[in-house]
Amino acid sequence: MAESDVTHAEVEGEDSLAFEDPEYREAVVDLLAVIGYGLISAFERLGEDATLAPHLEAKVQLGRMAAGELGKLGRIEARMAELGSDPFEAMEPFMAAVDAFHANTAPADWYEGLVKAYVGDGLANDFYREIAAYLDAGTRSLVIGTLEDAGYAAFAVAQVRGAIAADPRLGGRLALWGRRLMGEALIQAQRVAAEREGMSSLLAGGIDRPGLDLAALGRMFTRLTERHAERMAELGLDS
Amino acid sequence: MAESDVTHAEVEGEDSLAFEDPEYREAVVDLLAVIGYGLISAFERLGEDATLAPHLEAKVQLGRMAAGELGKLGRIEARMAELGSDPFEAMEPFMAAVDAFHANTAPADWYEGLVKAYVGDGLANDFYREIAAYLDAGTRSLVIGTLEDAGYAAFAVAQVRGAIAADPRLGGRLALWGRRLMGEALIQAQRVAAEREGMSSLLAGGIDRPGLDLAALGRMFTRLTERHAERMAELGLDS
């Protein structure tokens, strides 16, 4: 309650300048729509992956990761409505890219599902955290708020490390899988950026917001790649 | 937090007499195990049904019903552990009956899924509410706490009524579907009661708990059937 009040106050107050620019408003709606549909889609895929769980407790853990994604959606929806947009209509343009990502990275087994949940979630969160720096304060705090991890990452890491210790060949297969996830994420992110100019313009900045030049964009991708490698190492995998 | 503190205090305090009877303790663990696995299973099935949703907002609504089921599981798990039982091990004996219920009532479309979620959840909740009357206060408040509905029932009712208004033949098919759900639920409930004597003994009462004679059991089934009929009527369906 308290948090959403703060967000609302900021929309009305100090951030109203940014939102006077209709392009900025549209770009923020686009961003929230991508994040929102990403959450819905992650909920669905994690729910499917849970059916692959080797035992009941593991199934519940993955189920809780799934439910957590949907739990973050409420505030995104509310903010989109505040900005005068129908949340689910606004998500439609992004469904194809997100769905294609998932269709092209359907896990073949429980461990591929875990690696995807951990690495995919981490990558998306890093990306949103980077973008958040270029947003008005209200939207930034909302976006950062969706990035909380309820501690299920530790579960994924323990499961994957344990399985690799028992069967080292699994590590080679999962390392390749991690590369495929990263590649497919980049392909779909580029597709979204190309189709929605507003999203790219967020990074370019505005009158009262700092922007990003090409060199800075390059450094951002370097950071994303480094953090991906760290996560793979955390799982005991080469990247 | 406050609620789980109360529960814990009650286990330690006034209810300790009931739990001195190892059969009672075992029967309560059985009951919580059935409820717990029922929640996990409902989460999975509702997640699957969500993929049948005609549009994104409906998918999210069903997804939230699914997540809500899993959200109730935490306190059940905690109480089972308090009673000295491994929650997921304790659920194993009940998996076959619950899985059979779902396997025999796989929805053919979105509306069958909604009716199942609404009618099935309602029936299970009524049954647990009836049983709760025969439990110690701490377990009773825990069980009643899992029966909260976050308002998604209204969503199911609106969807189904709208669809029947548009296509009255759907009403006939869904009415038959409701009867099948009720029949299958009774078959599986009877199977559980026959296999787990402890569960039935809960209803028979104990030194410090009131019991249920055959006539009272008959009245309980009458109440369950009446409430089922009310829910079907709520959906605009004959029962």
Side-chain angles (χ1 to χ4, degrees):
Chain A
M1 258 306 172
E3 262 185 287
S4 88
D5 286 343
V6 167
T7 302
H8 189 265
E10 281 171 349
V11 172
E12 303 294 333
E14 58 172 289
D15 296 328
S16 58
L17 186 63
F19 284 104
E20 273 170 23
D21 175 0
E23 268 185 45
Y24 179 72
R25 179 180 289 258
E26 205 178 302
V28 165
V29 166
D30 268 11
L31 176 66
L32 297 181
V34 162
I35 295 178
Y37 187 66
L39 293 173
I40 295 171
S41 191
F43 165 78
E44 285 200 281
R45 301 316 146 203
L46 288 170
E48 276 175 21
D49 296 352
T51 62
L52 301 170
H55 54 81
L56 199 52
E57 189 169 4
K59 184 193 294 272
V60 169
Q61 287 279 9
L62 211 62
R64 283 186 171 135
M65 287 175 79
E69 303 286 351
L70 213 54
K72 298 169 184 170
L73 185 63
R75 284 173 62 202
I76 300 268
E77 264 183 84
R79 174 71 166 222
M80 291 174 80
E82 265 175 13
L83 293 173
S85 131
D86 177 304
F88 298 103
E89 225 167 79
M91 291 177 196
E92 269 167 33
F94 304 104
M95 291 173 68
V98 175
D99 290 352
F101 172 74
H102 287 296
N104 293 333
T105 57
D109 64 15
W110 168 245
Y111 296 104
E112 287 192 4
L114 280 180
V115 170
K116 180 174 166 181
Y118 178 64
V119 161
D121 231 50
L123 192 58
N125 286 353
D126 281 347
F127 179 64
Y128 298 141
R129 196 176 285 113
E130 291 279 353
I131 284 197
Y134 303 97
L135 300 173
D136 64 281
T139 309
R140 181 163 61 242
S141 83
L142 175 66
V143 169
I144 298 287
T146 66
L147 308 182
E148 290 151 19
D149 167 34
Y152 299 111
F155 166 76
V157 169
Q159 288 270 317
V160 172
R161 292 192 83 104
I164 294 173
D167 174 12
R169 284 170 312 169
L170 183 65
R173 173 156 70 84
L174 292 179
L176 285 176
W177 174 244
R179 295 178 72 87
R180 247 187 72 195
L181 290 170
M182 182 62 162
E184 196 62 39
L186 288 176
I187 288 167
Q188 299 303 336
Q190 197 153 18
R191 177 173 165 186
V192 167
E195 282 172 14
R196 308 291 291 193
E197 284 182 23
M199 292 276 285
S200 323
S201 78
L202 271 185
L203 294 175
I207 307 167
D208 56 341
R209 288 172 297 110
L212 201 64
D213 61 19
L214 260 185
L217 196 67
R219 286 194 295 276
M220 181 180 111
F221 272 100
T222 303
R223 282 193 298 275
L224 291 176
T225 310
E226 280 170 0
R227 290 206 204 97
H228 171 71
E230 282 166 19
R231 266 188 300 272
M232 292 293 281
E234 193 72 31
L235 292 168
L237 298 173
D238 295 332
S239 56
Chain B
M1 260 304 175
E3 262 186 286
S4 87
D5 286 345
V6 168
T7 302
H8 190 264
E10 281 170 345
V11 173
E12 303 293 333
E14 56 172 288
D15 296 329
S16 57
L17 185 63
F19 285 103
E20 272 170 24
D21 175 0
E23 269 185 43
Y24 179 72
R25 178 180 290 258
E26 206 178 302
V28 165
V29 166
D30 269 10
L31 176 66
L32 297 180
V34 162
I35 295 179
Y37 187 66
L39 293 173
I40 296 171
S41 191
F43 165 78
E44 286 200 282
R45 299 318 145 204
L46 288 169
E48 275 174 25
D49 296 353
T51 62
L52 301 170
H55 53 81
L56 199 51
E57 188 169 5
K59 186 193 292 273
V60 169
Q61 287 278 8
L62 211 63
R64 283 185 170 135
M65 287 175 79
E69 303 285 352
L70 213 53
K72 299 169 184 170
L73 185 63
R75 285 172 63 204
I76 301 269
E77 262 183 85
R79 174 71 166 220
M80 291 173 80
E82 265 175 12
L83 293 174
S85 130
D86 177 302
F88 297 104
E89 225 166 79
M91 291 177 197
E92 269 166 33
F94 305 104
M95 291 173 67
V98 176
D99 290 352
F101 172 74
H102 288 295
N104 293 334
T105 57
D109 64 15
W110 167 244
Y111 295 104
E112 288 192 3
L114 280 180
V115 170
K116 180 174 166 180
Y118 178 64
V119 162
D121 232 49
L123 192 58
N125 286 352
D126 281 347
F127 179 63
Y128 298 142
R129 195 175 286 114
E130 291 280 353
I131 283 198
Y134 304 96
L135 300 172
D136 63 282
T139 309
R140 181 164 59 242
S141 82
L142 175 66
V143 169
I144 298 287
T146 66
L147 308 182
E148 290 150 19
D149 166 36
Y152 299 111
F155 165 77
V157 169
Q159 288 270 317
V160 172
R161 292 192 84 103
I164 293 173
D167 174 11
R169 284 171 313 169
L170 183 64
R173 175 158 69 84
L174 292 180
L176 284 177
W177 174 244
R179 295 179 72 86
R180 245 186 74 196
L181 290 170
M182 182 62 161
E184 197 62 40
L186 287 177
I187 288 167
Q188 299 303 335
Q190 197 153 19
R191 176 173 165 186
V192 168
E195 282 172 14
R196 307 291 293 191
E197 283 181 25
M199 293 276 286
S200 323
S201 78
L202 270 185
L203 294 175
I207 307 166
D208 55 341
R209 288 171 296 111
L212 200 65
D213 61 19
L214 261 183
L217 196 67
R219 287 194 296 274
M220 182 180 111
F221 273 100
T222 304
R223 285 193 298 275
L224 290 177
T225 310
E226 281 169 1
R227 291 207 202 97
H228 171 71
E230 283 165 20
R231 267 188 300 272
M232 292 294 282
E234 194 71 30
L235 291 168
L237 297 173
D238 295 330
S239 56

